[in-house]
Amino acid sequence: MRVQFWGTRGSIAKPGPSTARYGGNTSCIEIRSRAGTLIILDCGTGAHPLGQRLVSAGASGRRGHLLISHTHWDHIQGLPFFAPLFVPGNEWDIYGPKGLGQSLREALAGQMQYTYFPITPEQFGATIRYHDLVEGGLEIDDVKISTHYLNHPALTLGYRLHGDGVAVVYSCDHEPHSRTLATGRGEIVGQDRRYAEFISGADLLIHDAQYIAEEYPAKIGWGHSTVEYAIRMGQHAQVKTIALTHHDPLRDDDFIDRMLESIRAKLEEGASPLKIFAASEGQVVEVESPISKDSDHHTTGFQAKTPIEPALVERSVLLGTVDANITAILSEAIRAEGIRVRFVSDGGAARKLIAQDRPSLVMLEHDLPRIDGLEICWAIRTELVADESKLPIVLVAAHEDPQAGLAAGVTDWLVKPFTTSYVRTKVRAWILRTACHWMKASIPEDEDRRLTSLRELRILDTDPEERFDRITRLAAAVFDVPIALVSLVDKDRQWFKSCYGIGAKETPREVSFCAHVVYNRETMLVSDALMDPRFADNPLVVSEPRIRFYAGCPLLLADGSCVGTLCLVDTRARSLSGTDVGLLQDLRDLAVQELYRMNILKPLSQRASP
Ligand SMILES: [Zn+2]
Ligand SMILES: [Zn+2]
């Protein structure tokens, strides 16, 4: 992967002789995979020269992807000046963290209101698609990306990019969760440990390094790292190289030189293999893989991204606090996000409200003389049912106690003191982290009759047969898809009489696409599952077989029962023409004929029992 830095300054652009070497433009980094995928990280003022270069280079800037970490000025100010967006025929995708209530598009358009700027986003000539991200994984052509909420007073995502056998992490505008870690010392626990997992083993970690440890006490809560923290986390997570960036506007080139010199001396002293440099404008880094390695390991196990608003639900937060001041700050912050607050005083009341209200978050004060948040948390956790197990429970306390927290099932800690704006950001992150769901298909009205008809076919759990396999093989070839299935939707599962292209014989009904066809009784096309709120977070979409495209035709029996589908699956987004749909329905008719033929021709003794 080729990485080029176009903007390395934090907070505000700072051109001039004192920043000539490391650069004055704000955050913007260009990444290109060997296959030519173009990804731009952040759109600070560095995007202006980059945009000029892309337009003069012609074809290479027509198609690209812009990943925005957050919408603070220094990360988006270059957007209205990014030339490729004004060229008709160009196609750009813009990704950024999803807010509650305001979309990425609206947030970006805010800085282009006529009071601030003469051109509106409607006047961009290029085709632009906006994608609101939450914590999870996504793929852009040959690059796999996972996202992670950073600790910053705005909803901010870090991006981990896997491609060409290497991992590059972009982690800008992030403050240590533990204040001790800002000095480069202390234990890595809780959310910092989660963060270490996110950056682990990166070949290149591009990291916020706005401050040094001795400046930090005056900058607590500003949302930035110290150089010492970046190095400590990098060493712990076995990162190969760190590029320090988001240089403070008050930092001149000589200061950065001296800082690097002293860091390198310390690393050498400790015989650390970690390499480190300070990113400078114009610098190009080729990140290459010394050995081929499994580049996927990090994206698995993550939840989904959803580029579309999930179904609107009224959100609520349960608050168990006694301190009047804390209660006031928290409820103000939560209400400012448009979220309802419910108050509880003990585990029993919390449990009752959880069952009744299905809140998105529980926040408990832990102040031993007055309230034992850990005990309440433990009491809640032991009674949660399976689908509530992801409910985040946050403890508000003067100090973190990670070991006890782990034992009691605490998700995270909110350490006093904190500001309302800090709480707002954290509340959003906690809630969005659990906001993804997919839609299960409804159960059809004729379910009993349908299941009886399906069982009467005596086909479930029989061996594969050529007459069905021939149909899925043909379907895969005709439509050029990797997977084609004859799928029968049973009470709790979908079972494949024929499965071309996958090994699985069945999947649970609740994740089944075909179950939607069975309910609607008509052909269903999903061009891009990631763009469809019914499927964006479905486990079959976010992990193997990574369904993007689905087309399913109902298998309708003579009595009107819909027992399953003949369906096509692809891992790329695509569509079908009207003629294609007709062809698929022809093949489906052949499959229905086979269902009957099998039942009539097969001697009873050989049929599987229902
Ligand atoms: Zn910034
Ligand atoms: Zn920021």
Side-chain angles (χ1 to χ4, degrees):
M1 252 195 271
R2 182 181 184 276
V3 177
Q4 181 161 11
F5 295 92
W6 291 86
T8 57
R9 193 61 51 179
S11 307
I12 188 170
K14 190 68 190 294
S18 68
T19 59
R21 282 186 289 118
Y22 288 101
N25 276 311
T26 57
S27 302
C28 182
I29 297 165
E30 175 191 5
I31 307 240
R32 256 182 214 277
S33 75
R34 235 179 277 138
T37 303
L38 172 61
I39 294 176
I40 315 285
L41 298 168
D42 272 337
C43 213
T45 59
H48 180 248
L50 166 60
Q52 298 296 317
R53 216 279 319 272
L54 288 174
V55 167
S56 63
S60 71
R62 296 225 173 97
R63 178 91 185 84
H65 304 266
L66 209 49
L67 300 184
I68 306 284
S69 65
H70 64 304
T71 50
H72 279 166
W73 280 348
D74 51 324
H75 300 258
I76 61 167
Q77 239 175 353
L79 191 86
F81 300 89
F82 187 58
L85 300 185
F86 291 89
V87 181
N90 282 5
E91 257 183 73
W92 280 77
D93 286 89
I94 305 181
Y95 308 74
K98 169 182 176 357
L100 289 173
Q102 193 187 35
S103 70
L104 172 70
R105 189 186 181 287
E106 287 164 341
L108 293 175
Q111 69 165 348
M112 296 177 76
Q113 285 169 19
Y114 74 94
T115 325
Y116 310 110
F117 198 71
I119 296 168
T120 65
E122 285 71 38
Q123 289 165 278
F124 283 143
T127 303
I128 297 172
R129 287 175 291 262
Y130 296 86
H131 307 269
D132 292 80
L133 303 181
V134 293
E135 200 168 67
L138 65 144
E139 270 175 57
I140 297 178
D141 300 332
D142 54 325
V143 182
K144 285 188 175 165
I145 299 168
S146 41
T147 60
H148 179 91
Y149 286 126
L150 301 179
N151 192 25
H152 193 62
L155 204 58
T156 304
L157 284 174
Y159 294 103
R160 181 180 175 108
L161 283 63
H162 283 278
D164 300 345
V166 296
V168 174
V169 176
Y170 177 63
S171 206
C172 215
D173 292 36
H174 171 67
E175 178 164 351
H177 291 274
S178 145
R179 285 164 198 172
T180 348
L181 276 175
T183 62
R185 287 182 295 275
E187 217 188 325
I188 298 170
V189 287
Q191 292 297 312
D192 286 303
R193 185 187 287 177
R194 236 184 126 248
Y195 177 64
E197 281 163 19
F198 172 66
I199 62 172
S200 78
D203 296 277
L204 176 66
L205 168 64
I206 304 166
H207 207 282
D208 178 349
Q210 183 137 354
Y211 306 126
I212 55 173
E214 63 185 75
E215 294 164 326
Y216 183 68
K219 310 286 185 186
I220 290 173
W222 292 32
H224 294 289
S225 288
T226 59
V227 178
E228 289 82 354
Y229 172 78
I231 291 169
R232 175 72 204 282
M233 297 305 285
Q235 284 183 314
H236 175 83
Q238 298 184 323
V239 165
K240 315 269 182 322
T241 304
I242 297 183
L244 302 173
T245 190
H246 212 268
H247 307 307
D248 192 274
L250 296 174
R251 237 2 132 243
D252 62 22
D253 290 337
D254 294 342
F255 186 101
I256 297 177
D257 283 341
R258 285 197 302 277
M259 183 179 84
L260 270 180
E261 215 171 285
S262 89
I263 296 168
R264 285 184 178 140
K266 272 187 213 146
L267 289 176
E268 221 163 276
E269 214 179 278
S272 170
L274 178 68
K275 291 196 201 69
I276 192 152
F277 66 92
S280 60
E281 215 171 290
Q283 185 174 12
V284 177
V285 181
E286 294 283 354
V287 188
E288 272 160 8
S289 157
I291 35 156
S292 77
K293 58 178 180 182
D294 177 16
S295 61
D296 289 345
H297 83 281
H298 210 276
T299 40
T300 55
F302 271 95
Q303 280 296 306
K305 73 146 189 172
T306 162
I308 283 189
E309 289 282 315
L312 280 178
V313 285
E314 202 202 353
R315 299 174 195 278
S316 67
V317 172
L318 290 195
L319 210 53
T321 52
V322 287
D323 184 298
N325 193 25
I326 297 283
T327 309
I329 295 182
L330 292 182
S331 33
E332 187 196 330
I334 296 164
R335 289 197 180 110
E337 289 296 319
I339 300 167
R340 205 153 49 91
V341 186
R342 306 292 300 260
F343 299 93
V344 288
S345 52
D346 57 63
R351 184 64 209 97
K352 211 181 281 168
L353 270 181
I354 290 169
Q356 183 189 314
D357 240 40
R358 309 191 68 77
S360 310
L361 171 68
V362 177
M363 298 181 82
L364 302 169
E365 197 175 350
H366 184 52
D367 178 3
L368 275 178
R370 294 185 292 177
I371 179 168
D372 188 344
L374 276 171
E375 197 174 295
I376 300 179
C377 178
W378 187 83
I380 294 174
R381 280 282 181 234
T382 48
E383 284 188 44
L384 289 184
V385 296
D387 69 327
E388 296 166 343
S389 60
K390 281 188 183 153
L391 174 69
I393 303 181
V394 172
L395 248 60
V396 185
H399 305 281
E400 230 177 288
D401 184 350
Q403 302 307 338
L406 199 65
V410 172
T411 312
D412 202 357
W413 294 77
L414 179 64
V415 177
K416 298 184 253 189
F418 40 76
T419 60
T420 307
S421 67
Y422 181 77
V423 177
R424 281 186 66 169
T425 311
K426 296 297 280 186
V427 165
R428 264 184 263 167
W430 286 315
I431 288 180
L432 285 171
R433 205 172 266 163
T434 53
C436 319
H437 291 290
W438 75 92
M439 225 179 272
K440 282 188 251 180
S442 308
I443 302 294
E445 268 177 31
D446 67 339
E447 177 73 358
D448 289 344
R449 185 189 65 167
R450 195 188 74 75
L451 285 175
T452 309
S453 302
L454 172 61
R455 303 241 154 102
E456 279 171 359
L457 289 174
R458 306 201 172 200
I459 188 175
L460 290 173
D461 298 308
T462 55
D463 290 334
E465 285 180 74
E466 173 56 21
R467 55 185 141 191
F468 288 100
D469 291 347
R470 159 190 311 146
I471 296 172
T472 51
R473 206 165 53 232
L474 262 172
V478 168
F479 299 103
D480 185 27
V481 291
I483 298 168
L485 307 162
V486 172
S487 161
L488 298 164
V489 177
D490 197 2
K491 187 164 182 292
D492 298 312
R493 58 172 181 161
Q494 61 175 347
W495 177 82
F496 307 132
K497 175 60 189 171
S498 174
C499 47
Y500 179 89
I502 54 166
K505 287 301 288 178
E506 60 180 49
T507 72
R509 183 174 182 174
E510 63 171 23
V511 299
S512 163
F513 281 56
C514 298
H516 289 264
V517 179
V518 164
Y519 177 76
N520 290 315
R521 305 167 55 82
E522 51 190 41
T523 300
M524 177 173 84
L525 294 180
V526 178
S527 313
D528 187 348
L530 284 178
M531 300 297 283
D532 189 319
R534 291 171 299 174
F535 304 109
D537 293 338
N538 185 302
L540 301 177
V541 174
V542 299
S543 53
E544 294 307 320
R546 299 197 181 280
I547 299 176
R548 286 290 291 277
F549 163 78
Y550 172 93
C553 287
L555 300 174
L556 289 160
L557 301 184
D559 69 352
S561 302
C562 182
V563 292
T565 73
L566 170 69
C567 68
L568 311 172
V569 168
D570 203 336
T571 51
R572 296 165 299 167
R574 50 180 291 175
S575 58
L576 283 191
S577 69
T579 323
D580 287 342
V581 172
L583 266 175
L584 182 61
Q585 285 165 345
D586 287 345
L587 285 171
R588 178 268 318 266
D589 293 344
L590 291 178
V592 172
Q593 272 180 25
E594 292 300 335
L595 286 177
Y596 280 112
R597 218 147 71 83
M598 177 172 183
N599 192 32
I600 294 160
L601 295 181
K602 201 162 190 182
L604 259 177
S605 59
Q606 281 182 18
R607 292 179 195 167
S609 54

